[in-house]
Amino acid sequence: MMREVQAGRFREDLYYRLNVFPLAIPCLRERPADVLPLARHFIERHGERIGKTAKIADDAAAIRAAWRWPGNVRELENTVQRAVIVASGDTISVEDVRLCLPDTVSPSQMNSAAEAFASNLAYDSVNVGRGPLERQINQADEVAAGKPASMRDLERQHILDTLKEVGGSRKKAVEKLGISERTLRYKLQQYREEGYTDL
């Protein structure tokens, strides 16, 4: 921060106002023991908001604990929130977690995550270390089976199902979804442009 002050990009008086008692908080990847307690907290918080009680399966917990979380706690919370929505039952499975991790995850990142966790607990790292090609094949299989292929498909399906559930009322839908009316309008416009005409 002092470098930013010296470079003239941050006000010096504001720096000293904020810098009363500096705390060094390590990033999430440096405190892997915090991942599961935080994940459970977020599962409870977001589950309560949508009226769903969920828990995390052991193999899914393995991936969560092994992933390095470059986006820190915010990334973990977003991933958990998606997993709570995606989970078909009351248990968040390894597939739910894999679907909610970024599509940009490289095979080497997933393998590193698997190896890091395997050193503490034996589990099937083959399921964790799938690369983009295998993910695309699995997605193609899921599409053929009538299942959503990606987070984007799942999001669209969730929004459209919620709209149908509330009888098309956008006001009720945004309350239930926890998004703004503007976001819902944008999403619906996007879906129309993609060819979804029954909106």
Side-chain angles (χ1 to χ4, degrees), residues 160-181:
L160 297 179
D161 287 349
T162 301
L163 264 171
K164 195 179 292 182
E165 194 178 304
V166 296
S169 167
R170 291 186 181 189
K171 186 174 182 181
K172 289 179 183 174
V174 296
E175 286 172 12
K176 193 158 187 174
L177 292 165
I179 60 175
S180 68
E181 285 189 44

Side-chain angles (χ1 to χ4, degrees), residues 4-198:
E4 294 298 304
V5 171
Q6 291 166 344
R9 290 187 293 263
F10 195 86
R11 283 179 30 200
E12 189 171 9
D13 63 316
L14 183 56
Y15 170 77
Y16 286 111
R17 178 173 287 212
L18 296 172
N19 196 31
V20 175
F21 193 79
L23 294 172
I25 300 173
C27 55
L28 195 54
R29 70 177 164 270
E30 292 174 15
R31 43 195 177 100
D34 290 351
V35 173
L36 285 177
L38 282 168
R40 289 189 179 109
H41 167 73
F42 293 136
I43 288 168
E44 189 177 325
R45 176 196 282 180
H46 293 292
E48 191 177 293
R49 193 172 59 76
I50 63 169
K52 186 175 185 179
T53 304
K55 62 180 189 223
I56 188 164
D58 290 341
D59 52 357
I63 295 180
R64 280 201 200 288
W67 180 239
R68 290 180 58 80
W69 304 108
N72 284 307
V73 175
R74 181 61 61 91
E75 181 189 5
L76 175 64
E77 181 175 8
N78 291 345
T79 303
V80 168
Q81 185 177 5
R82 288 192 297 267
V84 169
I85 292 168
V86 166
S88 55
D90 63 353
T91 301
I92 295 170
S93 71
V94 69
E95 287 302 322
D96 297 328
V97 173
R98 187 178 296 117
L99 189 61
C100 294
L101 286 172
D103 287 338
T104 56
V105 175
S106 71
S108 62
Q109 287 173 310
M110 287 303 282
N111 288 332
S112 298
E115 287 164 19
F117 194 83
S119 65
N120 298 320
L121 177 72
Y123 74 105
D124 184 5
S125 63
V126 173
N127 288 336
V128 180
R130 289 183 182 165
L133 180 58
E134 288 171 282
R135 190 179 299 119
Q136 288 169 16
I137 293 166
N138 290 338
Q139 287 176 352
D141 291 343
E142 287 173 354
V143 169
K147 295 179 186 174
S150 65
M151 274 311 302
R152 188 180 167 125
D153 291 338
L154 282 166
E155 179 191 66
R156 182 180 58 249
Q157 194 61 52
H158 181 61
I159 288 172
L160 297 179
D161 287 349
T162 301
L163 264 171
K164 195 179 292 182
E165 194 178 304
V166 296
S169 167
R170 291 186 181 189
K171 186 174 182 181
K172 289 179 183 174
V174 296
E175 286 172 12
K176 193 158 187 174
L177 292 165
I179 60 175
S180 68
E181 285 189 44
R182 182 179 177 189
T183 300
L184 181 60
R185 274 198 313 273
Y186 170 77
K187 293 287 183 188
L188 293 177
Q189 180 59 38
Q190 198 175 30
Y191 302 155
R192 280 189 206 95
E193 288 169 6
E194 290 170 2
Y196 293 87
T197 53
D198 56 340

